[in-house]
Amino acid sequence: MKKRLKIDFVSDISCPWCIIGLSSLQQAIHSLGDQIEVDLHFQPFELNPAMPSEGQDLDEHLAEKYGLPPEQLERNREAIRARGEQVGFAFNMDKRSRIYNTFDAHRLLHWAGLEGKQLELERALFEAYFTEGENPGAHDLLVRMAGKVGLDQERAREILASNAYADEVRQRQAYYQQLGIHSVPSIIINERHLIQGGQPQEVFAQALQQIAASS
């Protein structure tokens, strides 16, 4: 009999290691298909909650935040691109030149969770930003991605034009911060076991097997 596992995936759309970790986790779940059944929920985290709506030049932002020289930034980009390729995700670094505010994306993802389309929208937004270089905070893009995954575009537009789900997103953010989550991706299994970072598939698979066996 399959063991059911609840997974809370704490992430931000502007985090490259989050889509790497998600892809790796999905591969691990697929490899254990006959052993586990997963209830996956995405939880909001903002790497840059004070980011203005127009965003900021990416290299400028990373230099300010981490104090890294251009050569190191380039090495980091190549490491991310290579890891993405390993898990089947395309990072087009030449298309992504800015970093943006993601709060409205999290509001829409909260709604998508209520509609059973959260995973699809999460992946669509990662692709829009990291593969196509689009602004994941722009309402037109968010409405388009909602429609792409089968959500009601008119309802998406209404949500974005209002403050719908803002309180819920802030409450979830505060909850995970109180738990000590200060970096992403953070993957919490059965509300007890924490795995952090864009780990390889084997690491996730081993952890899921062990947790399933002991639950």
Side-chain angles (χ1 to χ4, degrees):
M1 191 168 103
K2 288 185 179 182
K3 291 290 184 71
R4 190 170 185 83
L5 300 177
K6 178 175 184 278
I7 300 179
D8 289 295
F9 194 95
V10 188
S11 62
D12 191 8
I13 295 301
S14 63
C15 163
W17 289 103
C18 290
I19 181 55
I20 289 170
L22 174 59
S23 299
S24 233
L25 175 65
Q26 286 188 283
Q27 289 174 354
I29 292 167
H30 181 72
S31 74
L32 301 173
D34 60 339
Q35 301 174 46
I36 62 170
E37 189 175 346
V38 168
D39 188 14
L40 180 61
H41 303 268
F42 291 94
Q43 304 296 351
F45 186 99
E46 287 180 275
L47 286 168
N48 305 288
M51 183 65 63
S53 58
E54 69 272 14
Q56 183 184 12
D57 177 83
L58 183 60
D59 284 353
E60 178 185 88
H61 170 76
L62 292 172
E64 285 178 5
K65 191 168 184 178
Y66 301 109
L68 298 176
E71 318 82 68
Q72 185 62 53
L73 290 175
E74 187 55 41
R75 284 195 294 271
N76 291 353
R77 269 195 288 266
E78 176 53 27
I80 288 168
R81 189 204 62 75
R83 281 287 283 122
E85 191 172 28
Q86 288 173 358
V87 298
F89 185 85
F91 285 97
N92 289 329
M93 298 301 186
D94 56 328
K95 289 189 176 182
R96 185 172 66 104
S97 61
R98 298 185 73 77
I99 192 161
Y100 299 96
N101 187 290
T102 56
F103 185 74
D104 283 346
H106 287 300
R107 289 199 297 124
L108 206 64
L109 281 163
H110 182 91
W111 168 63
L114 302 176
E115 298 292 321
K117 291 284 187 179
Q118 201 176 39
L119 172 60
E120 293 87 345
L121 184 59
E122 181 97 359
R123 289 204 67 105
L125 291 175
F126 277 129
E127 288 171 14
Y129 182 46
F130 288 112
T131 305
E132 302 301 330
E134 298 190 76
N135 175 0
H139 287 191
D140 286 350
L141 179 277
L142 290 169
V143 168
R144 180 156 49 89
M145 291 302 102
K148 181 180 178 180
V149 302
L151 289 163
D152 186 309
Q153 287 186 301
E154 195 53 46
R155 178 62 184 138
R157 196 172 282 109
E158 289 172 1
I159 289 166
L160 293 168
S162 70
N163 285 321
Y165 306 118
D167 289 344
E168 289 87 341
V169 168
R170 291 194 179 97
Q171 286 166 7
R172 298 312 289 166
Q173 287 177 322
Y175 173 76
Y176 286 100
Q177 287 170 359
Q178 288 163 7
L179 288 183
I181 302 299
H182 299 296
S183 64
V184 287
S186 287
I187 299 95
I188 304 167
I189 305 167
N190 286 351
E191 300 183 348
R192 294 178 56 199
H193 308 276
L194 173 66
I195 305 172
Q196 290 189 297
Q199 301 293 341
Q201 173 188 338
E202 304 76 39
V203 172
F204 283 124
Q206 184 178 33
L208 293 172
Q209 272 185 313
Q210 290 175 348
I211 294 166
S214 64
S215 63

